[in-house]
């Protein structure tokens, strides 16, 4: 795995059934590289999941065009409103006149404040059911996340589970498959990313998180795609135990040095 200094776009890849992956990586100085994935469901009502990095706009739009002409795009699923997920949304909506944005209630509010017109959006929430192109997609809230509007999705037909930031990892460099990173690098990268992206995991009820991870596994996906990790074939048997062992055992994961009690101790010591 070679390190990178600028964002890079990788070739388009088929991953599960009618799903295609638009993979990219961005450098995280001092920490490695982070995958930034978009997905396309190539069906009678083409659906895009997240819109990639603005820094890669031309390359990203070119990759998208290899799957679907933006004019034919019907749906754009926005998992949450972070810049690495909505980087090309405004530009895409200009060339995709028929596309409607799917996001949660809070996501709609954030996108509206960013200038996306409400009539271009439709609210979806966990527990609902979305019928698109002759198949059913289930909006789902991942076990952990960095933004409260986050929505993953599960496609039972093709067995694909999209988990947004959940199960992401900081890796030494770009790879095509998660397993190509190696067991140790994957484990360390997932723990490091979860600590950075979801620092509240250090304060969460460990039994509750463990139960959520177990329930998530009951979906029995055949392909797992995080926004920030290359695809993992099979179920969650590799990924969920890493998070469980990091945050649900032995008092939880890495200490949050910015926790309010830690700050108070520093101030007290300096007094």
């Amino acid at each position: 795995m070679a390190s990178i200094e600028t964002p890079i776009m990788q070739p388009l890849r088929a991953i599960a059934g009618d799903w295609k992956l638009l993979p990219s990586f961005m450098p995280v100085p001092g920490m490695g590289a982070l995958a930034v994935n978009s997905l396309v469901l190539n069906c009678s009502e083409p659906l895009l999941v997240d819109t990639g990095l603005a820094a890669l706009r031309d390359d990203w739009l070119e990759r998208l065009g290899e799957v679907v002409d933006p004019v034919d795009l019907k749906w754009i699923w926005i998992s949450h409103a972070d810049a690495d997920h909505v980087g090309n949304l405004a530009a895409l909506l200009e060339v995709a006149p028929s596309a409607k944005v799917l996001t949660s209630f809070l996501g709609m509010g954030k996108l509206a404040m960013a200038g996306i017109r409400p009539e271009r959006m439709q609210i979806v929430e966990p527990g609902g059911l979305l019928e698109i192109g002759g198949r059913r997609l289930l909006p789902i809230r991942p076990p952990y996340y960095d933004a409260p509007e986050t929505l993953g999705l599960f496609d039972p037909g093709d067995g694909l589970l999209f988990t947004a930031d959940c199960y992401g990892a900081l890796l030494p460099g770009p790879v095509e498959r998660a397993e190509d990173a190696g067991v140790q690098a994957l484990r360390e990268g997932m723990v490091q990313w979860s600590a950075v992206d979801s620092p509240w995991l250090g304060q969460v009820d460990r039994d509750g998180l463990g139960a959520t991870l177990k329930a998530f596994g009951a979906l029995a996906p055949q392909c797992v795609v995080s926004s920030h990790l290359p695809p993992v074939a099979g179920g969650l048997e590799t990924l969920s135990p890493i998070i469980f062992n990091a945050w649900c055992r032995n008092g939880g994961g890495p200490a949050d040095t910015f926790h309010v009690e830690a700050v108070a101790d520093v101030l007290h010591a300096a007094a």
Side-chain angles (χ1 to χ4, degrees), residues 167-190:
Y167 300 121
L170 287 158
L171 300 176
V175 292
E176 289 190 4
R177 303 177 304 167
E179 52 265 40
D180 293 340
V183 174
Q184 181 175 348
L186 178 61
R187 181 177 64 249
E188 292 177 353
M190 284 184 63

Side-chain angles (χ1 to χ4, degrees), residues 72-264:
D72 298 323
L73 194 63
K74 299 302 181 186
W75 305 100
I76 303 172
W77 183 290
I78 296 297
S79 63
H80 58 300
D82 286 359
D84 53 334
H85 298 260
V86 300
N88 297 305
L89 177 58
L92 179 59
L93 287 174
E94 292 182 2
V95 295
S98 300
K100 181 158 283 192
V101 175
L102 300 169
T103 191
S104 65
F105 175 81
L106 182 56
M108 175 182 279
K110 288 186 175 184
L111 293 176
M113 288 189 289
I116 305 301
R117 301 197 311 273
E119 63 268 23
R120 297 293 307 265
M121 295 186 275
Q122 177 176 319
I123 292 175
V124 292
E125 295 289 357
L129 179 65
L130 194 65
E131 296 195 9
I132 287 180
R135 68 181 67 206
R136 296 180 174 183
L137 302 179
L138 305 176
I140 192 165
R141 192 180 308 284
Y144 60 96
Y145 41 84
D146 73 334
E149 72 270 18
T150 297
L151 281 178
L153 68 82
F154 181 53
D155 176 2
D158 283 338
L160 180 134
L161 176 63
F162 168 69
T163 64
D165 283 15
C166 182
Y167 300 121
L170 287 158
L171 300 176
V175 292
E176 289 190 4
R177 303 177 304 167
E179 52 265 40
D180 293 340
V183 174
Q184 181 175 348
L186 178 61
R187 181 177 64 249
E188 292 177 353
M190 284 184 63
V191 174
Q192 187 177 32
W193 172 249
S194 62
V196 170
D197 192 59
S198 304
W200 53 266
L201 285 171
Q203 304 166 45
V204 76
D205 176 78
R206 295 193 297 275
D207 291 339
L209 176 60
T212 301
L213 290 168
K214 183 177 180 180
F216 216 54
L219 293 171
Q222 298 304 305
C223 179
V224 180
V225 184
S226 166
S227 297
H228 300 304
L229 185 72
V232 177
L236 293 165
E237 293 84 359
T238 299
L239 304 179
S240 285
I242 293 174
I243 298 302
F244 181 86
N245 290 332
W247 297 103
C248 301
R249 286 185 173 172
N250 303 321
D256 181 0
T257 57
F258 295 101
H259 192 275
V260 63
E261 284 87 350
V263 174

